[in-house]
């Protein structure tokens, strides 16, 4: 016992403290006994927990240790239920049809009306009524026969466990990070507006996304990849004012120094690239599509597969290209508007020309969230309901929801073994996944739209959405008519570029930051040491939402909770790769990722990772955007001015 205490003190005590308090030490010893693990393994689990919850907010105190203990127990229970569920699915078959058991019933269901239910307390005020509107539907609608008794298999009902765990989640509503803390937060009005304060405009031609997937032609795909190299060559030549004679073929032997533009590839089909495996792939116009190894002896740079680079060097022998310099690729132009247009948008928010801006009344309240929107052990969508409750109480102007919504990597959806809420319009043997979306998600958003008539709800699909027939990326919008969504819901593509009044927003549902983090090879000393700022910088510099090519192998991605455990990855349709181009620096770039949630200003762009609403840190982003103050001097010049959103937007990353 003494040796265990010494080891725990060595692993957990933070200098100059050498011994832990007795209460914390006792809790740690209790965890060791409960889970039969070694102190070193407990330390590893604690580090994972602090990363998940946020290192800055997770201190070593009694409250946090007890929350850590509860989290470990819940994780163990979920794993046990998952194993039991997989075994039961193997016996029944993995692809059962969704059932609406409320309409089927059994003999035991006849006693429902004979046994009095527990009376429910009445709501005493408006706030309680609003909260009740977004509560999870009672599981009695789904499984009435088990309402008054314990589950027949001796296990606790998954929905009940999840509801309890979500209701008792630690640090709910806590702000874990704030950007521009000096700006005032949003003050909700006394009553929600009946008209939208935001005008939504798509900066993307959505019709182009309705292409036929899985019909890719090799010649078309190769032409798209070639055109990307040639376009970057033109950008570099114009930016650096170079002559045509300065460019050459990197694969050909020569004694003169040249500039070559091409794509970074690896010399092996598998494995992560490194300084020794880097190759440059040329276009058919510049080098007949050949590849040449790169020698980077005195170069510091960050590389990844698919990256377009402009390099200066020489191929003296003919077997490799020695790089002496990597030329800067110009950034896309920033978003800008005329002063008259900004005055018109401010007037829409109630700010007249020359009037002092009142932050409390003129600011926009925008919420960003990314799926999955329910936990792996149930389809109750408690996190989504809590988010909609937040949107109602704060009178949000925009609710920006990024998929997946019905996630094909969800264990219950993947197995087909789940039950729908009671609905008299659905026949049990004819229920579809579209019905599941309408009942589980569409109904929640419809209630929100009724409570806040002026809200704008933006839905960005994901390649993991089971209700989207478009399986490739770039991806067409979801079908609004079939999903039972309100008129306030706006269906957009993945990726999407749009405007909220004058504010331009770019967003994608693909976790490109995680892929970049895995594939990036840093040679020498990186120019940007902050990896969370460096990764989105690649998207801006490469002018694309998903610049990695080829996409990351699905087998190399984290395992999912399904029986197969293989992630979806990025099902890229190369023929339409140009639909993911990012040729303007948008004011906001939304990049949902499994990495730590953040809000940073990168190359003049406000980049946010809202995190996943039901996994990991379980966070969302609340952005309070104050109006752009146009000066008299800017009006007199009459030229387009930058939006400067990074100076007038307060960004809070909040735990759901």
């Amino acid at each position: 016992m003494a040796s265990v205490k010494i080891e725990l003190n060595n692993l957990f005590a933070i200098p100059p403290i050498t011994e832990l308090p007795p209460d914390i030490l006792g809790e740690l010893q209790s965890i060791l006994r409960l889970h039969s693990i070694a102190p070193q393994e407990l330390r590893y689990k604690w580090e994972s927990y602090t990363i998940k919850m946020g290192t800055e907010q997770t201190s070593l105190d009694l409250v946090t240790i007890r929350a850590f203990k509860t989290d470990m127990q819940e994780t163990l229970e979920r794993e046990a239920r998952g194993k039991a569920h997989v075994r039961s699915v193997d016996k029944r078959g993995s692809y059962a049809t969704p059932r609406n058991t409320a309409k089927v019933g059994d003999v035991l269901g006849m006693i429902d009306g004979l046994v009095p239910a527990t009376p429910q307390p009445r709501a005493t005020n408006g706030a309680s009524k609003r909260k009740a509107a977004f509560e999870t539907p009672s599981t009695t609608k789904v499984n009435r026969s088990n309402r008054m008794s314990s589950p027949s298999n001796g296990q606790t009902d998954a929905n009940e466990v999840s509801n309890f765990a979500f209701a008792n989640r630690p640090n709910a509503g806590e702000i874990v990070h704030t950007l521009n803390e000096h700006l005032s937060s949003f003050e909700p009005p006394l009553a929600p507006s009946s008209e939208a304060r935001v005008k939504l405009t798509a900066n993307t031609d959505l019709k182009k996304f309705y292409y036929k997937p899985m019909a890719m032609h090799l010649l078309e795909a190769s032409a798209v990849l070639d055109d990307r190299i040639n376009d970057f060559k033109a950008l570099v030549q114009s930016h650096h004012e170079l002559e045509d004679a300065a460019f050459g073929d990197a694969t050909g032997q020569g004694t003169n120094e040249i500039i070559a533009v091409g794509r970074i590839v690896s010399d092996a089909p598998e494995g992560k690239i490194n300084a020794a495996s880097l190759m440059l792939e040329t276009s058919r116009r510049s080098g007949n599509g050949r590849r040449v190894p790169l020698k980077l002896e005195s170069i510091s740079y960050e590389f990844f597969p698919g990256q377009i680079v402009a390099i200066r060097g020489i191929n003296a022998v003919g077997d490799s290209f020695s790089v002496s310099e990597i030329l800067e690729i110009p950034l896309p132009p920033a978003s800008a508007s005329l002063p008259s247009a900004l005055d018109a948008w401010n007037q829409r928010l109630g700010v007249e020309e020359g009037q002092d801006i009142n932050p409390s009344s003129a600011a926009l309240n925008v919420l960003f969230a990314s799926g999955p929107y329910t936990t792996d052990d149930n389809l109750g969508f408690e996190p989504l309901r809590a988010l909609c409750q937040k949107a109602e109480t704060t009178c949000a102007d925009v609710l920006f929801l990024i998929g997946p919504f019905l996630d094909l990597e969800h264990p219950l959806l993947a197995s087909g073994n789940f039950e729908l809420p009671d609905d008299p319009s659905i026949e049990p043997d004819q229920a579809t996944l579209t019905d599941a979306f309408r009942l589980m998600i569409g109904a929640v958003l419809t209630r929100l739209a009724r409570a806040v008539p002026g809200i704008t709800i933006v839905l960005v699909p994901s390649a993991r959405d089971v209700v989207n027939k478009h399986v490739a990326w770039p991806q067409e919008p979801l079908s609004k008519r079939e999903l039972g969504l309100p008129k306030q819901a706006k269906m957009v593509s993945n990726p999407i570029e749009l405007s909220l009044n004058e504010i331009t927003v770019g967003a994608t549902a693909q976790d490109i930051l995680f892929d970049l983090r895995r594939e990036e090879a840093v040679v020498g000393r990186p120019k940007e040491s902050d990896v969370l700022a460096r990764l989105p910088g690649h998207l801006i510099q490469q002018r694309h939402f998903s610049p990695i090519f080829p996409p990351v192998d699905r087998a190399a991605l984290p395992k999912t909770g399904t029986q197969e455990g293989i992630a979806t990855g990025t099902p890229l349709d190369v023929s339409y790769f140009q639909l993911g181009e990012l040729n303007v620096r948008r004011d906001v770039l939304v990049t949902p990722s499994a990495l730590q949630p953040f809000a940073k200003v990168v190359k003049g762009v406000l980049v946010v990772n809202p995190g996943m609403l039901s996994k990991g840190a379980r966070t969302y982003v609340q952005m309070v955007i104050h109006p752009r103050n146009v000066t008299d001097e800017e009006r007199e010049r009459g030229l387009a001015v930058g939006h400067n959103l990074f100076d007038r937007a307060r960004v809070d990353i909040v735990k759901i």
Side-chain angles (χ1 to χ4, degrees), residues 546-574:
S546 184
I548 294 180
F549 184 83
V552 179
D553 185 5
R554 297 170 58 195
L557 296 174
K559 300 297 182 182
T560 66
T562 61
Q563 185 176 358
E564 294 80 8
I566 301 177
T568 306
T570 304
L572 176 64
D573 194 314
V574 184

Side-chain angles (χ1 to χ4, degrees), residues 564-612:
E564 294 80 8
I566 301 177
T568 306
T570 304
L572 176 64
D573 194 314
V574 184
S575 300
Y576 296 89
F577 193 67
Q578 70 274 15
L579 293 180
E581 290 179 351
L582 190 62
N583 290 320
V584 176
R585 275 184 290 165
R586 300 302 175 185
D587 297 321
V588 183
L589 183 60
V590 189
T591 56
S593 176
L595 300 180
Q596 180 181 348
F598 65 85
K600 295 180 180 293
V601 179
V602 182
K603 302 183 186 299
V605 178
L606 178 55
V607 184
V608 296
N609 169 23
M612 294 181 287

Side-chain angles (χ1 to χ4, degrees), residues 297-315:
E297 296 179 353
S298 59
I299 297 297
S300 294
Y301 207 70
E302 304 89 31
F303 299 94
F304 59 87
Q307 180 183 23
I308 307 298
V309 295
I311 54 179
R312 189 193 303 272
I314 187 172
N315 188 350

